Amino acid sequence: MTDAKPKPFIAGNWKMNGLKASAGELVQVMAGYAPALRAKVDLAICPPATQLIPFALAALGSRVAIGAQDCHAKASGAHTGDLSAEMIADTGASHVIVGHSERRTDHAETDAIVRAKAEAAWRAGLVAILCIGETEAERRGGTTLSVVDTQLEGSVPDGASAANLVIAYEPVWAIGTGLVPSNEDIAEVHAHIRQRLVARFGAEGEGMRILYGGSVKPSNAGEILRIENVDGALVGGASLKAADFLGIAAAYA
Ligand code: PEP
């Protein structure tokens, strides 16, 4: 149980990008993650599955966490091409993204599937970075808050804590588009998510990190990360280059 303001967290989602040679970017992130910055913000990189083992090994002792981008709900079995949360934990990774909108869209992941994946993450001792967010049509239709409510209720399992769950609010229309909601809109949705988390999990909900995701870059990070109830960012494109990723984290320096 915690009622402290959460320590900010910036996670980089590399998506389907990165070959062996990209390890240099991780090395640069670790080099730039000086003790003064470490004291202010936690960092994670979520490379493609092929790079989990080398990245987890390289990051040992650096305090940069390594995460996967998805997991299967089951621990093992006949699921060709999938990775279980236990396998991810076995690489040395500590986090896993679940319910990213690209998985919800490309792989028809429902809230029930995302919930099962979050439970799998906890079973394996991983922190779940659970993504929610409205489409452009839902935003235009004025249903953003109810969409977020449905996703929170359907995707977040009982047993969530500040230590095992990070929520990433990512408006689908802002991902990879260069479009960002207004500060007021971000503040409204984050306050709403906080209120829902507290209503369901009590004081523990105050300590749960709520990240904003969608076209965050060094030039807009300062403004976005200052918004109340924004406890960090989930970053896609701008996490691929160490200088940009560190430039975003520098908003907390
Ligand atoms: C993401 O995919 O989670 C994301 C936020 O992407 P981008 O930063 O590129 O918009």
Side-chain angles (χ1 to χ4, degrees):
M1 218 259 320
T2 174
D3 57 6
K5 197 169 155 43
K7 184 178 179 191
F9 178 46
I10 312 260
N13 172 15
W14 280 22
K15 312 193 186 192
M16 199 172 69
N17 297 292
L19 302 174
K20 274 187 286 189
S22 328
E25 299 299 328
L26 173 65
V27 171
Q28 283 181 51
V29 168
M30 293 188 298
Y33 194 35
L37 191 58
R38 274 189 235 158
K40 294 188 170 143
V41 57
D42 291 336
L43 295 186
I45 299 278
C46 303
T50 49
Q51 299 307 314
L52 279 174
I53 292 174
F55 273 44
L57 281 174
L60 267 182
S62 74
R63 304 253 317 265
V64 175
I66 301 300
Q69 299 172 13
D70 178 47
C71 66
H72 196 280
K74 297 264 172 64
S76 61
H79 302 288
T80 303
D82 280 315
L83 292 181
S84 70
E86 283 74 3
M87 290 167 173
I88 292 165
D90 194 44
T91 69
S94 53
H95 290 64
V96 61
I97 299 170
V98 295
H100 191 282
S101 66
E102 287 153 14
R103 302 275 331 163
R104 289 178 184 264
T105 304
D106 297 356
H107 300 274
E109 290 192 4
T110 61
D111 284 331
I113 291 173
V114 176
R115 185 184 187 110
K117 289 183 175 201
E119 282 169 342
W122 300 345
R123 186 186 65 220
L126 300 173
V127 177
I129 304 173
L130 194 154
C131 304
I132 56 174
E134 82 285 3
T135 63
E136 188 176 12
E138 289 162 343
R139 163 65 64 178
R140 285 226 189 95
T143 58
T144 297
L145 298 183
S146 67
V147 166
V148 160
D149 280 349
T150 303
Q151 292 175 331
L152 281 175
E153 274 159 35
S155 308
V156 178
D158 296 334
S161 72
N164 68 18
L165 180 74
V166 175
I167 296 290
Y169 167 59
E170 301 205 301
V172 178
W173 51 274
I175 294 177
T177 58
L179 300 172
V180 177
S182 69
N183 292 350
E184 292 70 29
D185 286 344
I186 295 175
E188 180 190 33
V189 180
H190 278 245
H192 184 80
I193 294 170
R194 174 75 63 212
Q195 185 259 320
R196 285 291 188 267
L197 293 175
V198 171
R200 184 163 165 204
F201 299 106
E204 192 71 21
E206 297 283 3
M208 289 177 185
R209 297 192 274 200
I210 308 171
L211 312 185
Y212 167 77
S215 298
V216 177
K217 44 189 189 260
S219 58
N220 62 17
E223 197 182 340
I224 294 170
L225 296 174
R226 265 197 304 275
I227 298 171
E228 179 107 34
N229 289 306
V230 174
D231 307 308
L234 181 56
V235 184
S239 69
L240 294 171
K241 290 278 161 233
D244 289 340
F245 190 61
L246 288 168
I248 292 168
Y252 290 111

